[in-house]
Amino acid sequence: MALVDFNKVKQLFGESPQSADSDLFRELFVLVLSRATDADAYTHPAEIATVQSVIKEELGTELSDSEVRTAALSKIYETTPLQKCLVNAAPKLNMDQRRAILRGLVVVMHADDNISSREAEFFNMVVSALGLSAADAAGLIVA
């Protein structure tokens, strides 16, 4: 299965997985981080490199520049906004998976040393759509 086919994400709007699904997590991780590179008006090369690095570290998978760019502009967004994907997926992910997406997103957003207001809005949308709290967004672990 190619990580950028997003088959599990597509299943959210058809046949849904019954429990926490590692493939769904992996696909959403790639979608969110890749889409973050397109959140502002300019995709900085450092953001692409950071997405690749974070994905390799978290998922053990290497993606090319073109795969990251393809995921950022995936055709899946033509039928379903990312926010809707995340809202539907959140119950199928455990808290550690949701927090991992958020941690990866923070790293990517800091890649070019500049966080725009559009990037901040994107971050807030991801936090909300994943059903995470301000404590989660701040990196606090609430037991």
Side-chain angles (χ1 to χ4, degrees), residues 95-104 132 136 140-142:
M95 284 302 290
D96 288 339
Q97 290 171 325
R98 289 188 252 170
R99 287 178 181 139
I101 291 170
L102 198 58
R103 282 191 308 273
L132 296 170
D136 292 310
L140 304 174
I141 302 296
V142 180

Side-chain angles (χ1 to χ4, degrees), residues 2-15:
L3 191 56
V4 293
D5 288 340
F6 306 117
N7 291 323
K8 290 292 182 173
V9 172
K10 291 174 186 173
Q11 285 180 5
L12 289 173
F13 303 98
E15 172 191 330

Side-chain angles (χ1 to χ4, degrees):
M1 173 198 78
L3 191 56
V4 293
D5 288 340
F6 306 117
N7 291 323
K8 290 292 182 173
V9 172
K10 291 174 186 173
Q11 285 180 5
L12 289 173
F13 303 98
E15 172 191 330
S16 297
Q18 298 301 313
S19 60
D21 186 316
S22 65
D23 289 337
L24 176 62
F25 162 70
R26 292 168 58 83
E27 290 178 8
L28 287 172
F29 194 84
V30 171
L31 275 175
V32 170
L33 271 58
S34 297
R35 190 65 172 176
T37 67
D38 197 49
D40 56 7
Y42 173 68
T43 301
H44 194 284
E47 292 173 330
I48 300 289
T50 302
V51 167
Q52 291 170 307
S53 173
V54 171
I55 288 171
K56 181 168 173 72
E57 183 178 317
E58 180 71 29
L59 305 179
T61 302
E62 291 190 25
L63 294 182
S64 68
D65 290 10
S66 63
E67 287 175 314
V68 172
R69 291 177 198 277
T70 298
L73 303 171
S74 176
K75 289 186 183 246
I76 200 166
Y77 304 121
E78 293 174 10
T79 58
T80 308
L82 180 59
Q83 181 175 7
K84 187 172 181 180
C85 285
L86 294 174
V87 166
N88 287 332
K92 296 166 181 62
L93 301 175
N94 63 44
M95 284 302 290
D96 288 339
Q97 290 171 325
R98 289 188 252 170
R99 287 178 181 139
I101 291 170
L102 198 58
R103 282 191 308 273
L105 179 57
V106 168
V107 172
V108 170
M109 292 179 73
H110 281 98
D112 64 356
D113 297 323
N114 182 32
I115 298 176
S116 70
S117 61
R118 288 183 60 199
E119 287 175 310
E121 288 174 21
F122 181 80
F123 176 82
N124 289 337
M125 178 277 294
V126 171
V127 170
S128 175
L130 287 176
L132 296 170
S133 67
D136 292 310
L140 304 174
I141 302 296
V142 180

